[in-house]
Amino acid sequence: MSSPVFVPASQCEILFTTDQIADRVVAIGRQITEEYKGQSIVLVGVLKGAAIFLADLARAIEVDNTFDFVAVSSYGKGKTTTGAVKLIKDLDVPIEGKHVILVEDILDTGLTLSYLRKLMLQHKPATLKIATCLDKPERRLVPIEADYVCFKIPNKFVIGYGMDYAEKYRNVPDIRLFPEDAGH
Ligand code: XMP
Ligand code: MG
């Protein structure tokens, strides 16, 4: 296998600017604040991709919230998934009877979130919703929809705002298209 090609992020086309992302995160934060008025929420982020979205979303939500993280194996080092999802890191804190929002970077084939939703439901939360920064509806293999979505995008590979190619680019503050011909 050839080693990944790292194009500088500055050469990748911007899909969403930091301002566009911030506007959507604030809007979703307001919606969640409204819907969960008087209650508290546990945000469960999927490592590592969702860490940055969760950090922003948590601060945009005005009701009491705590957070926890789970980790699954999914995309490995490249752009293609094996389809197999495995839990690598479980919850630290019990969520039974809690209002839980699963927070993900991208809803793609849906395999990861279907697996995690099933797993979370076994813990008997009071309610369970899904927030995702991006949604690629064209790629869905299993029927699952998010309750809160910042942006729907076409079937293109993206980097930045927590999202990686071979663990790189997560720190890029905007969301950019990763060139089709790179990294093959
Ligand atoms: P599934 O297919 O299970 O996948 O819904 C969700 C996970 O796939 C990763 N993913 C991407 N990561 N750029 C990325 O950096 C992308 O364009 C992309 N598409 C899917 C992502 O980690 C997500 O958690
Ligand atoms: Mg990833």
Side-chain angles (χ1 to χ4, degrees):
M1 219 207 296
S2 59
S3 53
V5 176
F6 291 112
V7 286
S10 58
Q11 284 176 22
C12 301
E13 189 190 331
I14 295 179
L15 189 58
F16 301 111
T17 64
T18 53
D19 283 351
Q20 287 173 311
I21 299 166
D23 285 353
R24 287 298 299 139
V25 172
V26 165
I28 289 174
R30 277 206 198 106
Q31 192 186 341
I32 292 174
T33 301
E34 204 48 47
E35 290 175 8
Y36 290 84
K37 209 174 259 166
Q39 291 167 326
S40 50
I41 312 168
V42 184
L43 300 172
V44 176
V46 186
L47 291 172
K48 303 167 197 166
I52 290 178
F53 175 46
L54 185 145
D56 285 346
L57 185 62
R59 288 176 291 179
I61 296 171
E62 284 172 26
V63 296
D64 209 31
N65 67 81
T66 58
F67 40 88
D68 201 348
F69 291 95
V70 291
V72 292
S73 64
S74 54
Y75 267 57
K77 289 186 165 38
K79 294 197 286 188
T80 46
T81 179
T82 57
V85 183
K86 198 175 93 189
L87 192 73
I88 292 171
K89 186 214 164 287
D90 207 343
L91 294 166
D92 292 334
V93 180
I95 56 165
E96 186 171 344
K98 303 274 174 67
H99 295 291
V100 175
I101 303 179
L102 258 173
V103 182
E104 178 58 307
D105 56 356
I106 301 199
L107 175 51
D108 189 23
T109 63
L111 290 166
T112 307
L113 278 173
S114 308
Y115 169 83
L116 285 174
R117 182 174 59 182
K118 208 190 247 175
L119 204 74
M120 293 298 120
L121 287 173
Q122 288 171 4
H123 291 277
K124 302 198 179 342
T127 61
L128 180 66
K129 288 199 177 181
I130 294 173
T132 187
C133 183
L134 302 180
D135 183 6
K136 285 185 192 171
E138 280 170 46
R139 292 252 309 161
R140 209 74 90 247
L141 292 177
V142 288
I144 183 162
E145 294 305 324
D147 301 281
Y148 310 102
V149 178
C150 292
F151 305 101
K152 283 199 180 195
I153 62 165
N155 182 16
K156 303 268 186 203
F157 199 84
V158 297
I159 50 142
Y161 198 63
M163 288 165 281
D164 70 307
Y165 172 66
E167 295 298 327
K168 262 186 73 104
Y169 311 108
R170 292 193 195 277
N171 63 314
V172 172
D174 38 31
I175 297 174
R176 294 178 183 245
L177 291 173
F178 193 68
E180 297 282 340
D181 52 352
H184 288 289

